[in-house]
Amino acid sequence: MDHSKALRELNIMQQTYATLFSVTNKLQMHGDQYLGQLTSRQYMILIAIAHLPEDETTLTNIATKLGTSKQSANKLIINLENKGYITTIPSKRDKRAINVKITETGKLVMLECGEKAVTLMADIFNDFSTKEVETLWSLLNKLYSFDGDELNGFEEDVNYKFDEMEGYEEAQMRALDRYILRRYRSAHDEIMEGKTTME
């Protein structure tokens, strides 16, 4: 390989690496604005807890799920516990560890922020086709595993953990309707505009 080709490739990699930092910061900032009661990082801690089996919600497992340090996760957990959104209980598996449990208040806040997060997703990915979102997700998974660690993601359905909450189904339908309206509004506007022109 000649030097010019290698230099161009390296430059693109450096730009990509730097851009990932900028994108992450921007997404976090916008997420904080959309969610209101929680920061993006606090919301993701709650999402991570929800995606772990109840007897495996240790600090280590939460940090691993989010790809962050135990120290960072611990600060967020303490903050959420002070707000009454989570509680810590001794682990039944390991006497030295604690498990983190989402309180009823925490579930209500998650439900509220979850509705707002759906709007955030529609707005962030507004200019992406479904195929482009799938490709981006696939590439990010590939990038995450550069060191041999596989991404332990959030693919499984955990809705059953919230099914018994009052108003849960209604909130889900509201969020989905809002998503459809925001995600497909331009197509809807074009159709409506076409009808008006034809009339």
Side-chain angles (χ1 to χ4, degrees):
M1 179 183 285
D2 65 36
H3 286 123
S4 62
K5 186 174 180 182
L7 191 59
R8 182 178 181 281
E9 186 178 80
L10 180 59
N11 185 39
I12 292 169
M13 289 177 185
Q14 289 169 335
Q15 293 299 321
T16 302
Y17 184 79
T19 301
L20 281 170
F21 276 94
S22 298
V23 168
T24 301
N25 290 332
K26 187 174 183 178
L27 290 174
Q28 187 175 328
M29 187 177 64
H30 280 275
D32 292 351
Q33 292 170 355
Y34 274 71
L35 297 177
Q37 288 186 333
L38 296 172
T39 66
S40 298
R41 293 176 60 77
Q42 290 170 341
Y43 182 62
M44 289 308 299
I45 285 280
L46 294 174
I47 294 291
I49 295 166
H51 276 81
L52 287 164
E54 286 185 21
D55 59 345
E56 293 181 19
T57 56
T58 63
L59 175 60
T60 299
N61 289 344
I62 293 166
T64 300
K65 180 68 98 172
L66 293 173
T68 191
S69 68
K70 287 196 290 186
Q71 292 82 359
S72 292
N74 192 43
K75 283 181 189 174
L76 292 163
I77 286 169
I78 290 168
N79 188 279
L80 289 168
E81 191 171 23
N82 289 339
K83 291 181 176 185
Y85 299 155
I86 59 172
T87 186
T88 52
I89 52 176
S91 171
K92 293 175 185 172
R93 288 184 170 189
D94 182 352
K95 296 197 185 309
R96 297 166 298 167
I98 57 162
N99 282 333
V100 182
K101 184 177 180 182
I102 302 170
T103 63
E104 291 306 309
T105 304
K107 286 181 181 180
L108 288 171
V109 168
M110 277 187 80
L111 187 62
E112 195 175 305
C113 289
E115 284 192 67
K116 294 173 182 176
V118 168
T119 304
L120 174 65
M121 294 301 110
D123 290 350
I124 287 172
F125 294 105
N126 183 46
D127 292 331
F128 287 74
S129 69
T130 302
K131 183 69 179 160
E132 287 173 328
V133 175
E134 289 170 350
T135 301
L136 178 61
W137 185 45
S138 175
L139 291 171
L140 288 173
N141 271 280
K142 185 175 182 179
L143 179 60
Y144 186 91
S145 60
F146 76 91
D147 59 356
D149 285 346
E150 295 295 318
L151 180 63
N152 181 357
F154 301 90
E155 293 85 17
E156 78 266 28
D157 184 2
V158 296
N159 288 342
Y160 70 91
K161 293 183 177 182
F162 302 91
D163 278 346
E164 294 179 13
M165 282 182 63
E166 188 177 325
Y168 177 70
E169 284 185 30
E170 294 84 357
Q172 267 200 320
M173 293 311 295
R174 265 194 320 269
L176 193 54
D177 286 342
R178 192 175 300 131
Y179 169 81
I180 290 168
L181 187 63
R182 286 182 96 91
R183 177 81 170 147
Y184 303 106
R185 72 175 163 223
S186 57
H188 177 265
D189 291 347
E190 287 172 18
I191 291 167
M192 296 309 290
E193 193 176 291
K195 283 183 180 176
T196 307
T197 307
M198 289 166 60
E199 292 170 0

